[in-house]
Amino acid sequence: MKRIAFIFLFFCLISGGYVSAAERNDAGTELQDESFALLQEWMDRLLDFQCENVHPALDGGLLCPACARMHGRIGDAVLPLMYLADRTGDEKYLSGAKRLMGWMENVHRPDGSWMNDVNVSDWNGTTVFAAIALYEALHYHGHLLDEATRRAWEEDLRNAGHFMMKNPFIYSRKREGMRNMNVNYSASATYALYAIGTYCQVPEFCEKAREIAADVKAYFTRPNAFLFGEGPNIWSATAHGCYPVDLLYNVEESLPNLAYYARMAGDEDMLNLVEKSMRTHLEFMLPDGAWDNSWGTRSFKWTYWGGRTSDGFMGGYYALAARNPEFAEAIARNLEVLKSATADGLLYGGMHYRATGMWPCIHHTFGHAKALASFLEQEAVELPEKALPRDAAYGMRFFEEIRTWLLACGDWRGTLTGYDSEYKVKGTHPMGGVLSMLWNRKTGPVFASTMNTYRMIESPNMQLHNRKYLTNGSPRVEWMKEGKAYTNLDDLEAEITCVEKDGVYIFDVKCHLVDAEQHSPLETSVAVSLHYEFSDSEIVIEAAGLPAEASLILPVIASPQEKVVFSPQQMTVEKEKGRLSVLCQEGAMSLLPADADGRVINPVPGFAFVPVQVKNNEGHPQKVRVKIKAD
């Protein structure tokens, strides 16, 4: 029966046949029901921000409380609004969708594209994603529209297709044209063009989609089929054999859209490749349903639950869940993270945003509402429960294409990275043998890396830090000199070795203290070493060869609501389900400056930290050692 349902949905997609939202969800599962409830909560709240009778130029737009403006991509919300209009029969959703698309004329260009923002950014490559949302809204729910509105939307959709055809900078793997494009555009253009070509009966769109897909197949690594291209110089491996990969843009845009394309076009080679890649990427989902993008080239868009401006993985992964039941389990767990990050009907961009006074940007809500709607458009299929890869205490796994190790010992889950593929802007993600993620079943996340230096690289798509203090979230060795940090985080030449001994995984890292430009604080290089031990019971971190000016920095994740007890030799954090202890075995701990609540928040990924500094003891120069336990 599962196979029949899957084939039935596939037929509907490729034939353009209509199945109502109510019919698709009559036999809904608990997962669909919970997703629908969250989607409705989000969209009801978003409609509270829709302007009406203020000014013709504002009518229909959604005003963002965090950014104090209207985001040019709010048109993506047309899909969830139309889905809810069809599912519930409530006129407010249909009216909201029509008024929303009316406002989108403010960012609509004569060439058929939509700009990313009004007077903030003239970038129009995101037309690819706007077109996908409009296509799905028309394909599934166009029957709700009056004839004039439907024809107008269809004309916009066709013109968006022509824009993509005329602008190869969007999809060319050779990066032709005005910008150095990331792979999420070319990957998503396959689905956008094929869908528009099918719906609008323009065969050349479908032909171009097949050409792009043939090129994109070269973007997958071996042996693990990571999709690469989220960064410059994509055809030249780094010194350590790495290519530019970003987990979140892959799972939340590129892979889902390639899966949709492959199903529509009957491209089995692409479908199999995407399926393998999805399984690889799922290795990085934590047991609580969060995505571990602590190492990705574009981790400056990381929010723990997903990506700041990407859509979400739910629909794309569910499309292949009949053959991979763990994909549905991933959706269910991630849904819980999304729910926990939602307050007052909006999805907050960090797990501790609300507790530290940061407002929610509506971009997160409407983007992931679009993904939830794409998931709910699909036939509900009962699937057996299946564990996620990171549920098992399997020891260690190494992914050579990104030079990153995953550790799973007892209740501990860790990520250690020497990934040296840099983004267009340096310092966007940690390198140099960093423990970029540490998580425990009892305490949740302990460490979560941030940008090496927080900068609003994409200012229209990021939030301003609004508190006095700001810290890097990565555990690191640091030497502050004349206001500049020299750390192991930017070291491109770190040497990393790993051995297993009696169930303990031991990493030794030889690295240097440098800034993002590889400059040393001295005329000569400053070499230090890091030693990690991962076992079922504890984590040990040791730093040796430290100059007197350097220290080990441990930004420990702790919400302002969590009780912290601190001394130079021990710190405890009381969590909801357990206690985290940091024990200083050599050296002495102190706290770096923090805001009035005792915490320092970094907007990406959005955690509050207790900034712990570990310095040398006089009797043990150049070496510090800490032990981390959870009970």
Side-chain angles (χ1 to χ4, degrees):
M1 289 300 294
K2 296 174 188 175
R3 185 173 179 83
I4 292 172
F6 184 78
I7 293 171
F8 172 70
L9 176 62
F10 178 79
F11 173 78
C12 291
L13 282 169
I14 63 173
S15 66
Y18 167 70
V19 181
S20 74
E23 288 174 314
R24 278 190 302 281
N25 294 107
D26 275 346
T29 65
E30 182 179 353
L31 176 58
Q32 274 77 9
D33 292 342
E34 291 183 5
S35 298
F36 172 75
L38 182 60
L39 178 66
Q40 191 167 31
E41 178 185 358
W42 283 348
M43 298 314 296
D44 283 348
R45 186 66 173 124
L46 279 179
L47 286 177
D48 291 339
F49 294 92
Q50 190 168 44
C51 292
E52 185 174 12
N53 298 325
V54 178
H55 187 278
L58 301 177
D59 186 50
L62 303 175
L63 186 62
C64 178
C67 305
R69 60 185 176 85
M70 293 178 179
H71 294 282
R73 289 185 63 178
I74 56 176
D76 288 6
V78 67
L79 174 61
L81 285 171
M82 291 293 286
Y83 171 83
L84 289 172
D86 206 353
R87 175 82 180 269
T88 68
D90 194 326
E91 174 64 24
K92 72 177 182 181
Y93 299 118
L94 180 60
S95 173
K98 292 167 72 172
R99 294 173 56 235
L100 178 73
M101 291 305 295
W103 181 88
M104 284 296 289
E105 289 304 308
N106 287 286
V107 290
H108 205 195
R109 308 301 300 154
D111 62 3
S113 68
W114 288 279
M115 293 187 301
N116 193 76
D117 287 285
V118 180
N119 297 328
V120 177
S121 169
D122 63 354
W123 174 232
N124 56 5
T126 49
T127 297
V128 174
F129 309 110
I132 288 171
L134 183 57
Y135 157 74
E136 292 189 357
L138 284 165
H139 172 69
Y140 290 115
H141 313 294
H143 63 283
L144 299 178
L145 300 171
D146 59 87
E147 184 70 12
T149 301
R150 183 176 60 80
R151 289 188 178 278
W153 288 13
E154 289 175 343
E155 184 66 16
D156 287 347
L157 187 64
R158 184 179 293 105
N159 288 337
H162 285 299
F163 164 75
M164 284 181 257
M165 293 286 286
K166 294 176 182 177
N167 289 274
F169 72 84
I170 288 178
Y171 56 77
S172 174
R173 95 187 212 191
K174 296 180 180 178
R175 303 300 198 255
E176 297 170 355
M178 57 182 281
R179 293 178 186 260
N180 189 0
M181 295 294 299
N182 294 312
V183 73
N184 61 314
Y185 289 95
S186 50
S188 298
T190 61
Y191 176 45
L193 281 171
Y194 203 93
I196 298 171
T198 301
Y199 185 89
C200 297
Q201 299 183 342
V202 186
E204 53 265 38
F205 289 1
C206 297
E207 293 170 9
K208 178 57 70 174
R210 288 187 182 276
E211 291 177 15
I212 301 169
D215 282 346
V216 169
K217 290 173 184 177
Y219 284 67
F220 290 86
T221 67
R222 296 179 181 178
N224 292 299
F226 285 101
L227 179 67
F228 69 91
E230 294 297 334
N233 305 318
I234 66 168
W235 300 115
S236 299
T238 67
H240 294 288
C242 298
Y243 292 89
V245 175
D246 186 74
L247 177 114
L248 288 176
Y249 271 101
N250 286 355
V251 300
E252 293 205 329
E253 281 184 351
S254 299
L255 293 175
N257 288 328
L258 284 170
Y260 294 146
Y261 154 78
R263 290 197 313 175
M264 291 187 75
D267 189 337
E268 284 297 322
D269 288 343
M270 176 62 81
L271 196 63
N272 291 334
L273 193 54
V274 167
E275 185 175 23
K276 180 179 180 180
S277 187
M278 283 183 170
R279 289 198 297 265
T280 290
H281 287 76
L282 192 60
E283 296 275 354
F284 292 83
M285 176 170 275
L286 291 163
D288 63 0
W291 283 110
D292 174 10
N293 195 39
S294 58
W295 50 271
T297 55
R298 302 182 74 186
S299 61
F300 60 89
K301 295 286 210 63
W302 183 33
T303 64
Y304 194 66
W305 43 255
R308 309 184 77 80
T309 58
S310 48
D311 293 337
F313 75 104
M314 306 83 163
Y317 268 71
Y318 196 71
L320 300 180
R323 302 193 297 199
N324 304 271
E326 65 273 23
F327 290 1
E329 178 65 22
I331 297 168
R333 295 199 201 177
N334 186 254
L335 187 68
E336 293 304 312
V337 184
L338 292 170
K339 286 159 61 175
S340 67
T342 296
D344 303 321
L346 293 177
L347 178 61
Y348 278 69
M351 304 307 289
H352 294 158
Y353 268 35
R354 193 164 186 259
T356 54
M358 294 190 69
W359 298 112
C361 172
I362 64 168
H363 209 307
H364 315 316
T365 303
F366 70 72
H368 284 73
K370 173 185 174 184
L372 268 187
S374 292
F375 158 59
L376 288 167
E377 299 288 9
Q378 301 180 52
E379 183 79 11
V381 179
E382 290 284 358
L383 297 166
E385 292 185 6
K386 189 168 182 181
L388 299 181
R390 227 164 171 177
D391 284 345
Y394 52 67
M396 183 192 76
R397 290 178 183 168
F398 176 55
F399 297 89
E400 59 190 83
E401 304 102 306
I402 57 171
R403 205 188 180 209
T404 295
W405 292 258
L406 296 186
L407 282 301
C409 302
D411 288 339
W412 296 102
R413 301 295 179 267
T415 304
L416 192 141
T417 186
Y419 185 41
D420 64 339
S421 181
E422 297 181 284
Y423 192 58
K424 304 167 190 176
V425 179
K426 293 180 179 292
T428 61
H429 70 89
M431 303 180 286
V434 177
L435 181 58
S436 62
M437 167 60 70
L438 183 63
W439 182 95
N440 185 276
R441 288 190 185 278
K442 298 184 183 74
T443 67
V446 177
F447 298 134
S449 281
T450 66
M451 298 168 62
N452 296 350
T453 302
Y454 186 72
R455 286 172 289 175
M456 294 179 67
I457 294 171
E458 294 184 14
S459 55
N461 298 324
M462 299 175 71
Q463 286 185 234
L464 187 68
H465 183 265
N466 62 356
R467 305 208 329 166
K468 182 176 181 179
Y469 293 101
L470 178 64
T471 188
N472 181 306
S474 302
R476 63 197 183 274
V477 176
E478 181 175 273
W479 180 347
M480 290 295 300
K481 184 177 182 181
E482 298 177 354
K484 177 176 285 191
Y486 297 87
T487 74
N488 61 303
L489 301 178
D490 288 298
D491 185 14
L492 292 167
E493 300 178 357
E495 299 176 16
I496 305 171
T497 60
C498 173
V499 297
E500 185 270 336
K501 184 177 181 180
D502 298 328
V504 178
Y505 292 86
I506 301 170
F507 285 81
D508 285 294
V509 181
K510 295 180 180 179
C511 51
H512 302 84
L513 303 185
V514 295
D515 63 13
E517 302 298 328
Q518 306 301 302
H519 297 146
S520 170
L522 302 176
E523 292 184 3
T524 58
S525 65
V526 178
V528 298
S529 64
L530 286 161
H531 174 86
Y532 303 93
E533 296 176 12
F534 297 87
S535 66
D536 291 357
S537 59
E538 62 191 24
I539 308 298
V540 172
I541 304 175
E542 180 180 287
L546 303 186
E549 300 87 349
S551 58
L552 177 65
I553 307 296
L554 301 176
V556 178
I557 294 172
S559 166
Q561 285 82 19
E562 293 171 337
K563 181 182 177 181
V564 175
V565 177
F566 183 85
S567 76
Q569 299 305 316
Q570 179 173 339
M571 181 179 76
T572 61
V573 183
E574 298 294 336
K575 301 282 185 174
E576 181 180 355
K577 298 179 180 179
R579 177 189 295 113
L580 178 74
S581 298
V582 181
L583 309 169
C584 187
Q585 296 182 303
E586 294 189 49
M589 299 191 300
S590 61
L591 296 178
L592 294 171
D595 284 283
D597 57 9
R599 305 293 187 270
V600 180
I601 190 171
N602 194 300
V604 176
F607 285 114
F609 302 95
V610 177
V612 177
Q613 176 180 248
V614 190
K615 295 283 287 185
N616 299 327
N617 276 337
E618 290 185 9
H620 298 277
Q622 297 190 315
K623 183 178 179 181
V624 298
R625 180 181 175 93
V626 298
K627 182 185 295 185
I628 302 171
K629 300 176 72 71
D631 52 40

